[in-house]
Amino acid sequence: MNISETRAGDVIQIQIEGRVDTTTSPQLQNAILQAFQKGNKLVLDFSQVAYVSSAGLRALLIGQKTANSKGGSMTLIHVPDAVSQVFQMSGFSGILTIE
């Protein structure tokens, strides 16, 4: 998995490429937590993500809880249908902000 970060004003965007699974989810979690140390508005671009496992869901849940505790926001954009189905089946579509 590859992760890159850009900043536009007060919004930090993280571009994720690859699979978010047991092996790579700690990398995503660290990127999210580090981004929240720099600001409180985070956008995760999922356009290049093909798969999210339960470990990936956990990393996103930790990110959402961090956003809530900081009074910030975490938004997922460009989520592919296959990944969106995982969010819907797991109930995460009601927890995460997905555009």
Side-chain angles (χ1 to χ4, degrees):
M1 176 177 69
N2 294 317
I3 296 177
S4 59
E5 180 182 304
T6 57
R7 187 172 192 143
D10 62 346
V11 177
I12 299 169
Q13 181 166 322
I14 296 177
Q15 173 75 39
I16 306 153
E17 183 179 334
R19 295 169 53 95
V20 183
D21 55 24
T22 304
T23 306
T24 59
S25 63
Q27 183 183 356
L28 175 59
Q29 182 177 325
N30 287 337
I32 291 170
L33 294 177
Q34 287 177 5
F36 275 123
Q37 290 177 358
K38 301 172 194 172
N40 67 350
K41 292 183 183 178
L42 183 60
V43 174
L44 303 177
D45 186 339
F46 265 67
S47 61
Q48 300 298 314
V49 176
Y51 174 80
V52 175
S53 73
S54 59
L57 293 176
R58 180 181 180 276
L60 292 172
L61 181 60
I62 289 169
Q64 186 61 55
K65 287 184 175 185
T66 302
N68 294 346
S69 71
K70 292 180 65 93
S73 65
M74 184 177 84
T75 305
L76 281 64
I77 61 171
H78 308 300
V79 178
D81 289 341
V83 175
S84 183
Q85 288 176 358
V86 171
F87 292 153
Q88 290 173 5
M89 289 188 307
S90 64
F92 273 63
S93 57
I95 297 170
L96 302 172
T97 303
I98 302 171
E99 293 181 356

